[in-house]
Amino acid sequence: LIEILDTVEVPKRDPEGPLRVPVLDKMKERGVIAFGKVESGTIKIGSRLAVMPNNLKCQVTGIYNCKQELVRYACPGENIQVKIRMIDDENLINKGDVLCPYDELAPICDVFEAELKILDLLPHRPIITPGYKSMMHLHTIGDEIVIQSLSGMYELDGTGKEYIKKNPKYCKSGSKVIVKISTRVPVCLEKYEFIEHMGRFTLRDEGRTIALGKVLRYKPIVPKKAEDKPVDDKDKLVERIKTADDDSTTTQQSFQEAKMKQEMDENEEEQITYGRPEAIENNE
């Protein structure tokens, strides 16, 4: 067994490639801390990153390894905790988000084409057809997907050569197919040939793994840049300031009126309580 394990090839990870850190969890402790594993590239203290798919900008202020030791950088394959600033609310970071550099954003999509190796399907659902729903597990993402269509199926001809049968109506256990998948929300992923660990996934149904897949291509969604987010124009800004001033003036006037009324009530009460000149003249 040891000899066999020694011959197993270690998965290749590129420390010089684009940084990709899928977020597994987060917490807030004197700042926001994200938990994850470096799948590609090298993360360093001071790195300016973006949290995809929401394209939130942040900066790394601390990196802790699996032994809770502060380190200056982390390489691919390491499980780390990243302390970041410029994001005050930990709810803005969710499981399945990806930390990546500003200039090399992780692609996001909601429709992609993948190659599936079908394992054992459920007895009461023995075939996969367009519209089949299941759970997809891709890096740290776990979400429901829908198989929109079957583009092709790998089959053997009479000579034993493999060919692709286009547009099959269904597939069964043991098949190898090309499918089009849609996700419920936009997700971050990569092509399998580009970054393997960001482009492979499993499909599960009722607690059973039914298929293994790898991303072939995807339809990217262009993320909004920070400067592209809607802001108030000059006229709206002036109107908001004027409205705020009017509200402030109205509040101040109301306060002054209430204060004057209170003083008048106090004077009237004083006259009623102590204003008995006839009693004072009679020395009562």
Side-chain angles (χ1 to χ4, degrees):
L1 177 62
I2 299 300
E3 293 177 356
I4 295 175
L5 292 176
D6 289 339
T7 59
V8 175
E9 294 185 3
V10 179
K12 296 181 181 180
R13 302 176 189 266
D14 186 8
E16 302 297 331
L19 178 64
R20 299 290 185 266
V21 183
V23 176
L24 179 63
D25 201 357
K26 81 295 180 80
M27 71 175 184
K28 189 169 185 180
E29 182 180 352
R30 296 181 181 178
V32 177
I33 299 177
F35 297 77
K37 181 179 181 181
V38 184
E39 299 291 2
S40 175
T42 302
I43 185 171
K44 302 177 182 179
I45 293 179
S47 299
R48 296 180 178 272
L49 305 178
V51 182
M52 297 298 287
N54 296 324
N55 198 15
L56 300 174
K57 293 186 177 182
C58 63
Q59 185 176 20
V60 178
T61 59
I63 302 173
Y64 300 87
N65 59 15
C66 58
K67 298 180 180 179
Q68 300 293 323
E69 297 173 345
L70 182 65
V71 295
R72 290 183 295 178
Y73 64 92
C75 297
E78 295 188 44
N79 293 300
I80 59 172
Q81 300 177 19
V82 184
K83 189 172 184 179
I84 57 178
R85 70 179 189 89
M86 299 171 62
I87 297 180
D88 299 327
D89 187 1
E90 73 275 14
N91 295 322
L92 296 176
I93 301 179
N94 301 298
K95 180 180 179 181
D97 291 351
V98 176
L99 299 176
C100 54
Y102 285 171
D103 53 349
E104 291 180 305
L105 296 177
I108 58 177
C109 71
D110 54 7
V111 176
F112 64 93
E113 190 176 74
E115 180 182 285
L116 288 183
K117 174 63 177 176
I118 309 299
L119 305 178
D120 293 330
L121 296 174
L122 299 175
H124 59 281
R125 301 180 71 184
I127 61 174
I128 290 180
T129 58
Y132 190 97
K133 295 182 180 180
S134 66
M135 289 293 297
M136 179 184 71
H137 295 271
L138 169 69
H139 53 81
T140 59
I141 297 172
D143 203 358
E144 188 179 71
I145 58 94
V146 178
I147 297 178
Q148 289 189 347
S149 62
L150 280 68
S151 305
M153 179 187 297
Y154 291 89
E155 292 186 353
L156 298 177
D157 58 12
T159 61
K161 292 183 180 180
E162 193 175 59
Y163 73 98
I164 297 178
K165 178 183 177 181
K166 294 185 177 181
N167 301 322
K169 294 183 179 180
Y170 65 91
C171 62
K172 300 184 294 185
S173 299
S175 303
K176 186 179 178 182
V177 294
I178 298 175
V179 299
K180 185 178 180 181
I181 295 175
S182 64
T183 60
R184 187 175 57 87
V185 294
V187 298
C188 296
L189 49 74
E190 298 279 359
K191 291 182 180 179
Y192 179 80
E193 61 181 3
F194 184 52
I195 302 178
E196 293 184 7
H197 303 85
M198 296 286 294
R200 63 186 183 189
F201 61 93
T202 61
L203 296 183
R204 292 177 61 83
D205 194 1
E206 297 185 9
R208 178 187 296 184
T209 302
I210 61 172
L212 306 176
K214 56 183 180 181
V215 179
L216 300 179
R217 57 181 182 173
Y218 52 83
K219 183 178 180 181
I221 298 176
V222 179
K224 288 186 178 181
K225 296 181 181 179
E227 56 270 21
D228 292 339
K229 294 181 179 179
V231 296
D232 292 334
D233 56 20
K234 185 176 180 180
D235 295 337
K236 289 184 178 180
L237 186 60
V238 171
E239 184 178 353
R240 288 179 56 190
I241 295 174
K242 185 178 179 181
T243 303
D245 292 341
D246 293 343
D247 294 343
S248 177
T249 303
T250 304
T251 303
Q252 187 175 4
Q253 291 177 353
S254 301
F255 176 75
Q256 291 178 353
E257 291 176 358
K259 187 175 181 181
M260 291 177 60
K261 184 177 180 181
Q262 183 179 2
E263 291 177 352
M264 292 176 62
D265 292 342
E266 289 177 354
N267 293 335
E268 184 178 355
E269 181 179 358
E270 184 176 359
Q271 291 176 4
I272 294 174
T273 307
Y274 304 102
R276 297 174 59 193
E278 66 280 359
I280 296 175
E281 291 177 358
N282 298 330
N283 294 326
E284 290 183 2

